[in-house]
Amino acid sequence: KPSRRLSRHEPSQLLAAMACPCLFCFDGKPPPPNVAQSNPKYAAMLRYKDNQTPFAISMMDAPAKEPLACVATSCTICCGLPAIYYRKTVLEQYGRGVEDFVCCQGYFPGFCGIEPATFCPGSMLGLVLEGCCCPTISLSITRIFLMDVRQLHPDPVDYQLIGFSNACQVLSCVCDILACFMEDLRQLADLIDCIADLITCSVMGCMGAQIECELKGAAPMAVQMDR
């Protein structure tokens, strides 16, 4: 039986139907200590739960507060401009500017003999390359750095939004792999790719708006990187 083609209105309807209820399936709490001990990434997340200061606004509410920053980040995150802009701005406000830049700000450990922190330290070229090659990771690193220097803890909804976005990307990868062996799944895989990317861009828009709110409401601090 031939597969039915989706109408041009169905992708947006599916996006809304999937996103709204699924978001609340993700825990709004940081990972428990027993899980964090087995995964360095979770251990880093656990560190921030004891910080005393909340963000000026949650990622969920940030778009209403800074709609321009949200839309601009969502629409241009793929080319890396927001990642470059916010990393440079945060480093200037809380340190010595680009001079304090290292790849991933030292948050990613070395692997296979490769040390990311040794790539183009203090270089505007390195900052641009990171922002353009890994825009979503780069923007997330900027947010983590901001959490470190200002001792911020995230809102529970922040965990849910980021977890939902990551889960959608994993689902997208799984569907792409299955579509390599099952031709009938190709159209569905393409649709899920599109939905996952739209969700990720939307979450990055919320993140950009949150960073913008935090920068506007905070006084500059002289912070030296020690990573």
Side-chain angles (χ1 to χ4, degrees):
K1 184 179 178 180
S3 57
R4 182 178 68 85
R5 288 192 173 276
L6 295 167
S7 74
R8 64 190 182 92
H9 296 294
E10 284 185 6
S12 58
Q13 294 169 352
L14 284 170
L15 173 62
M18 183 178 82
C20 293
C22 290
L23 174 62
F24 297 102
C25 295
F26 292 85
D27 198 351
K29 299 177 182 178
N34 61 321
V35 175
Q37 287 172 0
S38 62
N39 190 315
K41 180 183 72 173
Y42 289 149
M45 290 171 60
L46 196 63
R47 226 174 47 228
Y48 303 114
K49 77 178 180 68
D50 295 324
N51 288 349
Q52 298 302 309
T53 310
F55 271 98
I57 195 166
S58 71
M59 284 174 58
M60 181 177 69
D61 297 326
K65 183 78 173 175
E66 290 290 342
L68 262 179
C70 179
V71 172
T73 303
S74 295
C75 294
T76 61
I77 187 63
C78 293
C79 67
L81 289 178
I84 296 166
Y85 169 75
Y86 282 119
R87 179 70 62 81
K88 183 173 182 292
T89 304
V90 167
L91 289 175
E92 287 172 349
Q93 184 156 334
Y94 295 100
R96 300 171 300 180
V98 178
E99 188 180 345
D100 277 338
F101 168 79
V102 294
C103 183
C104 300
Q105 294 306 130
Y107 289 103
F108 279 7
F111 58 94
C112 300
I114 299 171
E115 292 290 341
T118 62
F119 297 160
C120 305
S123 164
M124 188 65 200
L125 174 62
L127 194 157
V128 170
L129 286 174
E130 182 194 292
C132 291
C133 296
C134 312
T136 57
I137 292 175
S138 182
L139 188 63
S140 297
I141 291 293
T142 298
R143 179 173 177 272
I144 291 171
F145 174 59
L146 198 57
M147 290 168 67
D148 260 344
V149 297
R150 290 190 51 77
Q151 292 296 292
L152 302 170
H153 69 79
D155 187 88
V157 178
D158 294 359
Y159 287 113
Q160 292 177 311
L161 285 168
I162 294 169
F164 179 49
S165 173
N166 292 344
C168 288
Q169 290 297 335
V170 170
L171 176 62
S172 173
C173 289
V174 170
C175 289
D176 282 337
I177 292 170
L178 291 176
C180 292
F181 305 98
M182 304 168 69
E183 186 64 31
D184 291 343
L185 287 180
R186 186 66 263 170
Q187 188 180 13
L188 177 62
D190 289 342
L191 175 62
I192 292 176
D193 282 348
C194 181
I195 291 173
D197 288 344
L198 285 173
I199 290 172
T200 297
C201 288
S202 299
V203 171
M204 288 298 107
C206 295
M207 190 177 291
Q210 185 185 54
I211 294 171
E212 183 73 20
C213 289
E214 199 63 39
L215 291 173
K216 285 184 175 179
M221 294 168 55
V223 176
Q224 178 132 1
M225 288 294 297
D226 185 22
R227 288 188 176 276

